[in-house]
Amino acid sequence: MNTELYETIVDFRKTSKNAINNKWIISPLEYFWPDGKSLFDNIFKENNTVSSEIIAPLIYKNCMNFHFRANMMVLGFMKQPISKKFSLEIENGLLNFYKLDFLSTISQWIYIIEGYMKIIFNVIDGQSSINPDNWEIPETDDVHYDNIINNFTESLSLFSKDILFCKNYDSNSIDLNRHLLLHGKINNKEFFSQSNALKLLFALDTLLTIEMVKNKVFPSVFSCSNQELKMIKNRKIIYQNELSLSMENHNLMKIQLFKEHLEV
């Protein structure tokens, strides 16, 4: 492992723990780009308490780049053996995210993550995939790749145990939590927020990155075929179009319609 990569891993682990303390998770895909690393390091400084309402728009602006997300969809989620089992649902959630329909995005992604975890961590049938104690961490024949996997898995494990899958019985809570959604305990419309959708996206990014490291295609420079270039180009157009339509009356009325199902 070269010095630059080693230092990035060390910084990732530190920033990731600070993010967990603020009930966030950071995306390894984003962090390994200079702009993404700078963004997360600045937001989640040591002992820095942040407001999700304030930082979410900034993170969204930086991490929902059409070109980057189109590349990661085609060359990542649609290409890796496990993630491609869920890529249709993941992209559908992403399209809703660009339309600012956070409710639809969260409702779809929160269950996909559980299925992805079960496969990539080889959870035995009958055991819970949301419990990191049941995870079998992927291994390669290279200690450097294994070190990267362990760091990313540690981040995801803390996020899963302390945030996403922890028991929460407060129906008015806005904290991202599978238990509240699964058991119909959500009464606060602010639960379906931009920040909670971003956290799920970054959890998916983490799972994808673990799989890519396991298959030794991360970190590396991506190459793509002419067909894949066309697929990426089409997605950039669609993603941009979805965002441009997000403030139209029809879309805003649909989002409001969904929120009317919630009490608060």
Side-chain angles (χ1 to χ4, degrees):
M1 184 184 299
N2 62 51
T3 302
E4 182 180 1
L5 177 57
Y6 174 79
E7 291 176 350
T8 302
I9 291 294
V10 171
D11 290 344
F12 172 85
R13 188 176 187 187
K14 179 179 179 182
T15 300
S16 179
K17 287 185 176 181
N18 295 336
I20 295 294
N21 290 335
N22 281 278
K23 298 184 177 181
W24 273 81
I25 184 173
I26 61 177
S27 165
L29 288 178
E30 297 281 354
Y31 195 84
F32 274 72
W33 292 94
D35 290 346
K37 184 178 187 304
S38 176
L39 172 72
F40 289 122
D41 284 347
N42 286 331
I43 290 176
F44 298 111
K45 295 177 181 177
E46 191 169 6
N47 300 320
N48 188 30
T49 301
V50 300
S51 166
S52 287
E53 291 182 2
I54 294 175
I55 65 172
L58 175 63
I59 295 176
Y60 184 92
K61 180 180 178 180
N62 282 269
C63 297
M64 293 294 286
N65 177 279
F66 307 125
H67 178 75
F68 179 79
R69 284 294 155 189
N71 271 271
M72 289 302 97
M73 182 56 63
V74 174
L75 304 179
F77 287 109
M78 295 175 68
K79 207 165 188 177
Q80 294 303 304
I82 301 175
S83 63
K84 70 180 182 181
K85 297 176 184 293
F86 305 100
S87 62
L88 173 60
E89 294 94 332
I90 292 171
E91 185 160 40
N92 187 56
L94 188 64
L95 291 173
N96 285 321
F97 202 1
Y98 277 118
K99 288 189 292 188
L100 306 184
D101 182 0
F102 309 137
L103 186 150
S104 297
T105 297
I106 291 169
S107 298
Q108 187 161 34
W109 280 351
I110 203 164
Y111 300 113
I112 293 171
I113 288 172
E114 186 175 348
Y116 201 156
M117 285 178 172
K118 183 176 181 63
I119 299 174
I120 197 166
F121 295 123
N122 197 28
V123 178
I124 299 172
D125 287 342
Q127 291 188 338
S128 173
S129 59
I130 66 175
N131 185 351
D133 292 338
N134 297 328
W135 294 358
E136 180 183 307
I137 301 175
E139 294 182 348
T140 70
D141 57 0
D142 188 312
V143 66
H144 301 305
Y145 282 111
D146 290 346
N147 180 56
I148 298 173
I149 290 173
N150 288 335
N151 277 280
F152 294 162
T153 302
E154 179 185 34
S155 171
L156 187 63
S157 172
L158 291 172
F159 176 73
S160 300
K161 182 172 60 176
D162 297 341
I163 302 168
L164 183 59
F165 298 128
C166 73
K167 292 294 178 66
N168 186 342
Y169 299 97
D170 180 7
S171 61
N172 288 316
S173 174
I174 61 173
D175 293 339
L176 179 64
N177 186 267
R178 169 189 173 274
H179 182 263
L180 291 177
L181 188 59
L182 179 64
H183 296 283
K185 299 292 186 180
I186 297 171
N187 292 329
N188 193 329
K189 64 185 178 183
E190 299 306 321
F191 176 92
F192 297 102
S193 64
Q194 185 180 56
S195 61
N196 281 346
L198 280 168
K199 292 170 189 178
L200 290 177
L201 174 62
F202 295 163
L204 287 169
D205 283 353
T206 304
L207 286 163
L208 173 64
T209 312
I210 291 170
E211 184 176 5
M212 293 172 75
V213 176
K214 176 179 178 292
N215 296 328
K216 299 183 180 180
V217 293
F218 182 93
S220 64
V221 177
F222 295 105
S223 59
C224 49
S225 65
N226 289 334
Q227 177 63 24
E228 288 169 336
L229 283 172
K230 183 178 180 181
M231 293 165 65
I232 292 168
K233 181 181 178 180
N234 289 340
R235 279 169 171 76
K236 287 168 60 178
I237 294 171
I238 295 297
Y239 294 172
Q240 187 170 10
N241 186 61
E242 291 296 286
L243 183 60
S244 68
L245 296 175
S246 64
M247 301 308 292
E248 290 198 351
N249 285 338
H250 174 79
N251 191 61
L252 294 175
M253 288 175 66
K254 184 188 75 171
I255 294 172
Q256 181 58 39
L257 181 149
F258 288 155
K259 288 184 177 180
E260 290 173 358
H261 290 269
L262 304 168
E263 297 175 4
V264 179

